[in-house]
Amino acid sequence: RRQFHRMCAAVGVDPLASNKGFWAQKLQVGDFYYELGVQVVEACLYTRDQDGGLLDVEEVLRRVKKKRGNAVEQVEVDDILQAVRALQKLGAGFDVAPVGSKMIVRSVPYLLRQDHGVALAAAQEEGHVSLHALIRVTQWTEERAQQALDDLLKEGMAWIDETPHGDRWYWFPCLKAAPS
């Protein structure tokens, strides 16, 4: 399916596009991606209170597959990315951003600045980062690093944890898969 979709995109043809229905016309997608887009929205909204609207694309895929079951056509990461691209036309804040080696689906109308992406990338391996670790990795001033972390915390994209040693860890739920 991926190869077929790339071939069609290269010549400017969308074989799945359908002129039926308001949303199909608005999003310029066929029934498969329309249905998948709705499922992506549901997966993102379900976790928004915990992750602030940032969810790893692999986690979105896992949740969508669980909801769809085996009775319908299986989906892949490329299908999720195509559905998110279609959702962008609605202007509701849906986007995909690279964070280190991961792709994160953003489901809130909040623009991540480059500093936010760097802070998320610094936290990618462990799912968290401290202010001092961020400064060490980036060579930023304390004010710049603190501002990036505070912005993410304020938007609900990070959680804070006070350690027994007096250090603060900024946790990013979008970087760790939720339990099944």
Side-chain angles (χ1 to χ4, degrees):
R1 182 172 53 227
R2 183 180 333 151
Q3 184 178 5
F4 178 72
H5 188 68
R6 284 182 186 153
M7 181 182 68
C8 289
V11 295
V13 173
D14 184 358
L16 300 176
S18 169
N19 292 331
K20 298 175 186 171
F22 173 78
W23 289 112
Q25 287 181 328
K26 181 78 172 160
L27 298 177
Q28 295 176 339
V29 295
D31 291 340
F32 175 78
Y33 286 111
Y34 169 73
E35 179 184 328
L36 186 58
V38 169
Q39 292 167 347
V40 167
V41 168
E42 288 173 347
C44 291
L45 291 178
Y46 184 78
T47 63
R48 191 181 282 177
D49 287 346
Q50 292 105 30
D51 59 32
L54 298 178
L55 192 58
D56 182 355
V57 73
E58 294 286 342
E59 180 64 14
V60 173
L61 178 63
R62 186 186 73 76
R63 289 177 177 278
V64 166
K65 282 183 172 183
K66 184 176 180 180
K67 180 168 181 68
R68 291 172 71 89
N70 294 328
V72 293
E73 189 173 1
Q74 289 300 306
V75 296
E76 299 175 12
V77 168
D78 285 344
D79 297 319
I80 300 293
L81 298 176
Q82 178 68 22
V84 172
R85 280 192 290 272
L87 291 170
Q88 288 174 334
K89 296 173 185 173
L90 295 176
F94 278 85
D95 195 7
V96 176
V99 173
S101 63
K102 293 185 178 222
M103 296 296 287
I104 303 295
V105 176
R106 179 177 55 88
S107 64
V108 291
Y110 179 76
L111 184 61
L112 291 175
R113 294 190 335 258
Q114 183 176 355
D115 286 2
H116 300 143
V118 171
L120 284 162
Q124 182 175 346
E125 192 170 315
E126 298 293 324
H128 65 84
V129 69
S130 69
L131 174 64
H132 299 295
L134 183 58
I135 292 169
R136 188 172 51 253
V137 168
T138 61
Q139 301 298 305
W140 289 346
T141 63
E142 183 174 343
E143 293 78 20
R144 181 178 179 184
Q146 188 66 62
Q147 184 65 52
L149 293 171
D150 286 347
D151 289 348
L152 293 166
L153 186 64
K154 184 179 87 179
E155 293 300 321
M157 298 173 186
W159 297 349
I160 198 162
D161 186 20
E162 302 280 346
T163 68
H165 309 296
D167 208 6
R168 284 183 161 180
W169 285 354
Y170 294 82
W171 288 89
F172 299 94
C174 66
L175 298 177
K176 291 291 182 186
S180 298

